[in-house]
mmCIF file of all heavy atoms in Angstrom:
data_model
loop_
_atom_site.group_PDB
_atom_site.id
_atom_site.type_symbol
_atom_site.label_atom_id
_atom_site.label_comp_id
_atom_site.label_asym_id
_atom_site.label_seq_id
_atom_site.Cartn_x
_atom_site.Cartn_y
_atom_site.Cartn_z
ATOM 1 N N GLN A 14 7.957 -1.530 -9.371
ATOM 2 C CA GLN A 14 7.790 -1.314 -7.933
ATOM 3 C C GLN A 14 7.855 0.180 -7.611
ATOM 4 O O GLN A 14 7.013 0.708 -6.881
ATOM 5 C CB GLN A 14 8.852 -2.067 -7.147
ATOM 6 C CG GLN A 14 8.721 -1.876 -5.650
ATOM 7 C CD GLN A 14 9.759 -2.659 -4.871
ATOM 8 O OE1 GLN A 14 10.520 -3.437 -5.439
ATOM 9 N NE2 GLN A 14 9.790 -2.458 -3.577
ATOM 10 N N ARG A 15 8.854 0.868 -8.161
ATOM 11 C CA ARG A 15 8.978 2.311 -7.922
ATOM 12 C C ARG A 15 7.804 3.052 -8.537
ATOM 13 O O ARG A 15 7.294 4.023 -7.948
ATOM 14 C CB ARG A 15 10.303 2.826 -8.492
ATOM 15 C CG ARG A 15 10.483 4.314 -8.352
ATOM 16 C CD ARG A 15 10.620 4.744 -6.900
ATOM 17 N NE ARG A 15 10.784 6.186 -6.829
ATOM 18 C CZ ARG A 15 10.105 6.979 -6.018
ATOM 19 N NH1 ARG A 15 9.243 6.479 -5.146
ATOM 20 N NH2 ARG A 15 10.297 8.277 -6.043
ATOM 21 N N ALA A 16 7.340 2.615 -9.699
ATOM 22 C CA ALA A 16 6.167 3.242 -10.312
ATOM 23 C C ALA A 16 4.969 3.128 -9.376
ATOM 24 O O ALA A 16 4.193 4.078 -9.238
ATOM 25 C CB ALA A 16 5.856 2.603 -11.657
ATOM 26 N N GLY A 17 4.817 1.987 -8.722
ATOM 27 C CA GLY A 17 3.726 1.819 -7.766
ATOM 28 C C GLY A 17 3.805 2.815 -6.626
ATOM 29 O O GLY A 17 2.785 3.355 -6.176
ATOM 30 N N GLU A 18 5.019 3.088 -6.147
ATOM 31 C CA GLU A 18 5.203 4.082 -5.088
ATOM 32 C C GLU A 18 4.803 5.471 -5.578
ATOM 33 O O GLU A 18 4.175 6.237 -4.857
ATOM 34 C CB GLU A 18 6.650 4.083 -4.615
ATOM 35 C CG GLU A 18 7.065 2.799 -3.927
ATOM 36 C CD GLU A 18 8.566 2.712 -3.682
ATOM 37 O OE1 GLU A 18 9.318 3.619 -4.100
ATOM 38 O OE2 GLU A 18 8.983 1.712 -3.063
ATOM 39 N N ILE A 19 5.179 5.799 -6.810
ATOM 40 C CA ILE A 19 4.842 7.102 -7.380
ATOM 41 C C ILE A 19 3.337 7.210 -7.597
ATOM 42 O O ILE A 19 2.724 8.236 -7.279
ATOM 43 C CB ILE A 19 5.622 7.331 -8.692
ATOM 44 C CG1 ILE A 19 7.121 7.456 -8.376
ATOM 45 C CG2 ILE A 19 5.113 8.560 -9.438
ATOM 46 C CD1 ILE A 19 8.023 7.408 -9.593
ATOM 47 N N ILE A 20 2.730 6.161 -8.120
ATOM 48 C CA ILE A 20 1.287 6.144 -8.367
ATOM 49 C C ILE A 20 0.512 6.354 -7.079
ATOM 50 O O ILE A 20 -0.561 6.970 -7.073
ATOM 51 C CB ILE A 20 0.894 4.806 -9.041
ATOM 52 C CG1 ILE A 20 1.382 4.798 -10.496
ATOM 53 C CG2 ILE A 20 -0.595 4.542 -8.941
ATOM 54 C CD1 ILE A 20 1.374 3.421 -11.136
ATOM 55 N N ASP A 21 1.040 5.870 -5.955
ATOM 56 C CA ASP A 21 0.361 5.984 -4.664
ATOM 57 C C ASP A 21 0.486 7.372 -4.040
ATOM 58 O O ASP A 21 -0.172 7.652 -3.032
ATOM 59 C CB ASP A 21 0.901 4.942 -3.683
ATOM 60 C CG ASP A 21 0.439 3.535 -4.017
ATOM 61 O OD1 ASP A 21 -0.553 3.386 -4.766
ATOM 62 O OD2 ASP A 21 1.071 2.577 -3.533
ATOM 63 N N ARG A 22 1.301 8.241 -4.626
ATOM 64 C CA ARG A 22 1.446 9.591 -4.082
ATOM 65 C C ARG A 22 0.132 10.354 -4.200
ATOM 66 O O ARG A 22 -0.620 10.185 -5.159
ATOM 67 C CB ARG A 22 2.531 10.358 -4.846
ATOM 68 C CG ARG A 22 3.933 9.856 -4.603
ATOM 69 C CD ARG A 22 4.927 10.537 -5.470
ATOM 70 N NE ARG A 22 4.731 11.995 -5.527
ATOM 71 C CZ ARG A 22 5.704 12.862 -5.696
ATOM 72 N NH1 ARG A 22 6.948 12.454 -5.859
ATOM 73 N NH2 ARG A 22 5.443 14.152 -5.750
ATOM 74 N N ALA A 23 -0.109 11.217 -3.237
ATOM 75 C CA ALA A 23 -1.349 12.004 -3.226
ATOM 76 C C ALA A 23 -1.454 12.937 -4.426
ATOM 77 O O ALA A 23 -2.564 13.244 -4.878
ATOM 78 C CB ALA A 23 -1.440 12.809 -1.931
ATOM 79 N N ASP A 24 -0.303 13.377 -4.967
ATOM 80 C CA ASP A 24 -0.352 14.322 -6.080
ATOM 81 C C ASP A 24 -0.397 13.646 -7.452
ATOM 82 O O ASP A 24 -0.487 14.331 -8.470
ATOM 83 C CB ASP A 24 0.829 15.300 -6.013
ATOM 84 C CG ASP A 24 2.182 14.634 -6.249
ATOM 85 O OD1 ASP A 24 2.301 13.412 -6.056
ATOM 86 O OD2 ASP A 24 3.126 15.353 -6.625
ATOM 87 N N PHE A 25 -0.347 12.312 -7.485
ATOM 88 C CA PHE A 25 -0.430 11.613 -8.774
ATOM 89 C C PHE A 25 -1.895 11.548 -9.198
ATOM 90 O O PHE A 25 -2.784 11.415 -8.358
ATOM 91 C CB PHE A 25 0.159 10.200 -8.678
ATOM 92 C CG PHE A 25 0.514 9.623 -10.016
ATOM 93 C CD1 PHE A 25 1.691 9.983 -10.642
ATOM 94 C CD2 PHE A 25 -0.344 8.751 -10.655
ATOM 95 C CE1 PHE A 25 2.019 9.475 -11.899
ATOM 96 C CE2 PHE A 25 -0.035 8.235 -11.906
ATOM 97 C CZ PHE A 25 1.156 8.605 -12.526
ATOM 98 N N PRO A 26 -2.177 11.646 -10.500
ATOM 99 C CA PRO A 26 -3.571 11.617 -10.954
ATOM 100 C C PRO A 26 -4.303 10.341 -10.520
ATOM 101 O O PRO A 26 -3.701 9.269 -10.403
ATOM 102 C CB PRO A 26 -3.457 11.654 -12.486
ATOM 103 C CG PRO A 26 -2.085 12.135 -12.780
ATOM 104 C CD PRO A 26 -1.230 11.761 -11.617
ATOM 105 N N GLU A 27 -5.580 10.492 -10.292
ATOM 106 C CA GLU A 27 -6.427 9.339 -9.999
ATOM 107 C C GLU A 27 -6.544 8.480 -11.260
ATOM 108 O O GLU A 27 -6.531 9.007 -12.379
ATOM 109 C CB GLU A 27 -7.822 9.796 -9.581
ATOM 110 C CG GLU A 27 -7.857 10.466 -8.224
ATOM 111 C CD GLU A 27 -7.526 9.498 -7.097
ATOM 112 O OE1 GLU A 27 -8.031 8.358 -7.115
ATOM 113 O OE2 GLU A 27 -6.759 9.895 -6.199
ATOM 114 N N PRO A 28 -6.665 7.173 -11.111
ATOM 115 C CA PRO A 28 -6.846 6.326 -12.298
ATOM 116 C C PRO A 28 -8.118 6.711 -13.058
ATOM 117 O O PRO A 28 -9.107 7.142 -12.460
ATOM 118 C CB PRO A 28 -6.980 4.913 -11.729
ATOM 119 C CG PRO A 28 -6.419 4.976 -10.359
ATOM 120 C CD PRO A 28 -6.629 6.384 -9.888
ATOM 121 N N TYR A 29 -8.060 6.541 -14.348
ATOM 122 C CA TYR A 29 -9.231 6.746 -15.203
ATOM 123 C C TYR A 29 -10.249 5.638 -14.954
ATOM 124 O O TYR A 29 -11.444 5.866 -14.903
ATOM 125 C CB TYR A 29 -8.783 6.767 -16.662
ATOM 126 C CG TYR A 29 -9.896 6.740 -17.671
ATOM 127 C CD1 TYR A 29 -10.728 7.837 -17.820
ATOM 128 C CD2 TYR A 29 -10.113 5.627 -18.480
ATOM 129 C CE1 TYR A 29 -11.758 7.828 -18.751
ATOM 130 C CE2 TYR A 29 -11.130 5.612 -19.411
ATOM 131 C CZ TYR A 29 -11.954 6.712 -19.543
ATOM 132 O OH TYR A 29 -12.969 6.697 -20.459
ATOM 133 N N ASP A 30 -9.746 4.417 -14.793
ATOM 134 C CA ASP A 30 -10.603 3.258 -14.570
ATOM 135 C C ASP A 30 -9.750 2.141 -13.974
ATOM 136 O O ASP A 30 -8.522 2.190 -14.038
ATOM 137 C CB ASP A 30 -11.211 2.795 -15.894
ATOM 138 C CG ASP A 30 -12.506 2.020 -15.731
ATOM 139 O OD1 ASP A 30 -12.903 1.723 -14.576
ATOM 140 O OD2 ASP A 30 -13.132 1.697 -16.754
ATOM 141 N N VAL A 31 -10.417 1.168 -13.397
ATOM 142 C CA VAL A 31 -9.739 -0.022 -12.892
ATOM 143 C C VAL A 31 -10.326 -1.214 -13.630
ATOM 144 O O VAL A 31 -11.535 -1.464 -13.566
ATOM 145 C CB VAL A 31 -9.900 -0.178 -11.366
ATOM 146 C CG1 VAL A 31 -9.203 -1.441 -10.891
ATOM 147 C CG2 VAL A 31 -9.350 1.041 -10.643
ATOM 148 N N LEU A 32 -9.465 -1.926 -14.352
ATOM 149 C CA LEU A 32 -9.864 -3.075 -15.151
ATOM 150 C C LEU A 32 -9.369 -4.347 -14.474
ATOM 151 O O LEU A 32 -8.677 -4.291 -13.454
ATOM 152 C CB LEU A 32 -9.269 -2.960 -16.550
ATOM 153 C CG LEU A 32 -9.495 -1.625 -17.282
ATOM 154 C CD1 LEU A 32 -8.726 -1.607 -18.588
ATOM 155 C CD2 LEU A 32 -10.973 -1.396 -17.510
ATOM 156 N N GLY A 33 -9.665 -5.481 -15.043
ATOM 157 C CA GLY A 33 -9.185 -6.744 -14.508
ATOM 158 C C GLY A 33 -7.672 -6.806 -14.418
ATOM 159 O O GLY A 33 -7.118 -7.416 -13.515
ATOM 160 N N MET A 34 -6.988 -6.139 -15.339
ATOM 161 C CA MET A 34 -5.521 -6.140 -15.342
ATOM 162 C C MET A 34 -4.945 -5.075 -14.424
ATOM 163 O O MET A 34 -3.743 -5.000 -14.234
ATOM 164 C CB MET A 34 -4.966 -5.957 -16.758
ATOM 165 C CG MET A 34 -5.479 -4.758 -17.542
ATOM 166 S SD MET A 34 -4.922 -3.080 -17.117
ATOM 167 C CE MET A 34 -3.255 -3.120 -17.587
ATOM 168 N N GLY A 35 -5.778 -4.237 -13.853
ATOM 169 C CA GLY A 35 -5.323 -3.188 -12.942
ATOM 170 C C GLY A 35 -5.811 -1.816 -13.368
ATOM 171 O O GLY A 35 -6.618 -1.670 -14.293
ATOM 172 N N ALA A 36 -5.294 -0.812 -12.681
ATOM 173 C CA ALA A 36 -5.697 0.569 -12.954
ATOM 174 C C ALA A 36 -5.072 1.070 -14.248
ATOM 175 O O ALA A 36 -3.992 0.629 -14.649
ATOM 176 C CB ALA A 36 -5.287 1.465 -11.790
ATOM 177 N N VAL A 37 -5.769 2.006 -14.879
ATOM 178 C CA VAL A 37 -5.267 2.685 -16.073
ATOM 179 C C VAL A 37 -5.462 4.187 -15.897
ATOM 180 O O VAL A 37 -6.399 4.627 -15.227
ATOM 181 C CB VAL A 37 -5.937 2.193 -17.379
ATOM 182 C CG1 VAL A 37 -5.542 0.774 -17.705
ATOM 183 C CG2 VAL A 37 -7.452 2.327 -17.312
ATOM 184 N N TRP A 38 -4.548 4.946 -16.482
ATOM 185 C CA TRP A 38 -4.564 6.401 -16.390
ATOM 186 C C TRP A 38 -4.600 6.984 -17.780
ATOM 187 O O TRP A 38 -4.046 6.422 -18.710
ATOM 188 C CB TRP A 38 -3.299 6.904 -15.688
ATOM 189 C CG TRP A 38 -3.248 6.595 -14.238
ATOM 190 C CD1 TRP A 38 -3.553 7.443 -13.210
ATOM 191 C CD2 TRP A 38 -2.866 5.367 -13.628
ATOM 192 N NE1 TRP A 38 -3.394 6.800 -12.011
ATOM 193 C CE2 TRP A 38 -2.967 5.517 -12.235
ATOM 194 C CE3 TRP A 38 -2.461 4.127 -14.118
ATOM 195 C CZ2 TRP A 38 -2.668 4.508 -11.337
ATOM 196 C CZ3 TRP A 38 -2.171 3.109 -13.232
ATOM 197 C CH2 TRP A 38 -2.274 3.308 -11.856
ATOM 198 N N ARG A 39 -5.224 8.152 -17.920
ATOM 199 C CA ARG A 39 -5.166 8.870 -19.188
ATOM 200 C C ARG A 39 -3.739 9.358 -19.399
ATOM 201 O O ARG A 39 -3.124 9.933 -18.500
ATOM 202 C CB ARG A 39 -6.099 10.079 -19.171
ATOM 203 C CG ARG A 39 -7.553 9.737 -19.233
ATOM 204 C CD ARG A 39 -8.374 11.030 -19.305
ATOM 205 N NE ARG A 39 -9.777 10.731 -19.296
ATOM 206 C CZ ARG A 39 -10.572 10.882 -18.229
ATOM 207 N NH1 ARG A 39 -10.088 11.354 -17.100
ATOM 208 N NH2 ARG A 39 -11.847 10.575 -18.304
ATOM 209 N N ILE A 40 -3.216 9.139 -20.580
ATOM 210 C CA ILE A 40 -1.865 9.587 -20.902
ATOM 211 C C ILE A 40 -1.739 11.085 -20.670
ATOM 212 O O ILE A 40 -0.752 11.551 -20.097
ATOM 213 C CB ILE A 40 -1.481 9.200 -22.345
ATOM 214 C CG1 ILE A 40 -1.290 7.686 -22.435
ATOM 215 C CG2 ILE A 40 -0.233 9.944 -22.803
ATOM 216 C CD1 ILE A 40 -1.028 7.170 -23.830
ATOM 217 N N ALA A 41 -2.731 11.847 -21.080
ATOM 218 C CA ALA A 41 -2.668 13.306 -20.919
ATOM 219 C C ALA A 41 -2.511 13.693 -19.452
ATOM 220 O O ALA A 41 -1.759 14.618 -19.123
ATOM 221 C CB ALA A 41 -3.915 13.955 -21.513
ATOM 222 N N ASP A 42 -3.201 12.998 -18.545
ATOM 223 C CA ASP A 42 -3.097 13.299 -17.111
ATOM 224 C C ASP A 42 -1.702 12.978 -16.590
ATOM 225 O O ASP A 42 -1.123 13.757 -15.823
ATOM 226 C CB ASP A 42 -4.131 12.505 -16.314
ATOM 227 C CG ASP A 42 -5.563 12.894 -16.637
ATOM 228 O OD1 ASP A 42 -5.784 13.979 -17.217
ATOM 229 O OD2 ASP A 42 -6.462 12.092 -16.307
ATOM 230 N N VAL A 43 -1.163 11.837 -17.004
ATOM 231 C CA VAL A 43 0.174 11.440 -16.555
ATOM 232 C C VAL A 43 1.226 12.393 -17.124
ATOM 233 O O VAL A 43 2.139 12.820 -16.414
ATOM 234 C CB VAL A 43 0.487 9.982 -16.942
ATOM 235 C CG1 VAL A 43 1.929 9.625 -16.614
ATOM 236 C CG2 VAL A 43 -0.484 9.030 -16.252
ATOM 237 N N GLU A 44 1.095 12.753 -18.394
ATOM 238 C CA GLU A 44 2.067 13.660 -19.004
ATOM 239 C C GLU A 44 2.029 15.032 -18.339
ATOM 240 O O GLU A 44 3.069 15.673 -18.165
ATOM 241 C CB GLU A 44 1.840 13.767 -20.512
ATOM 242 C CG GLU A 44 2.171 12.482 -21.264
ATOM 243 C CD GLU A 44 3.629 12.064 -21.167
ATOM 244 O OE1 GLU A 44 4.523 12.936 -21.061
ATOM 245 O OE2 GLU A 44 3.887 10.843 -21.181
ATOM 246 N N GLU A 45 0.862 15.497 -17.946
ATOM 247 C CA GLU A 45 0.762 16.772 -17.222
ATOM 248 C C GLU A 45 1.469 16.663 -15.874
ATOM 249 O O GLU A 45 2.193 17.569 -15.468
ATOM 250 C CB GLU A 45 -0.701 17.172 -17.024
ATOM 251 C CG GLU A 45 -0.881 18.443 -16.233
ATOM 252 C CD GLU A 45 -0.216 19.669 -16.850
ATOM 253 O OE1 GLU A 45 -0.084 19.720 -18.086
ATOM 254 O OE2 GLU A 45 0.186 20.568 -16.092
#
């Protein structure tokens, strides 16, 4: 739930893609 709040922040990277299971992000973008 908290991760969802963080993901929704304007400064969090945009998802790489949205699949049937949900959004996915590049690890490199998240680590940055």
Side-chain angles (χ1 to χ4, degrees):
Q14 180 178 354
R15 177 67 180 132
E18 294 170 357
I19 293 168
I20 287 165
D21 287 342
R22 290 174 45 149
D24 67 338
F25 199 80
E27 290 293 317
Y29 170 69
D30 204 354
V31 179
L32 309 174
M34 53 73 69
V37 292
W38 290 260
R39 288 184 183 103
I40 290 175
D42 295 343
V43 174
E44 291 297 329
E45 178 59 29

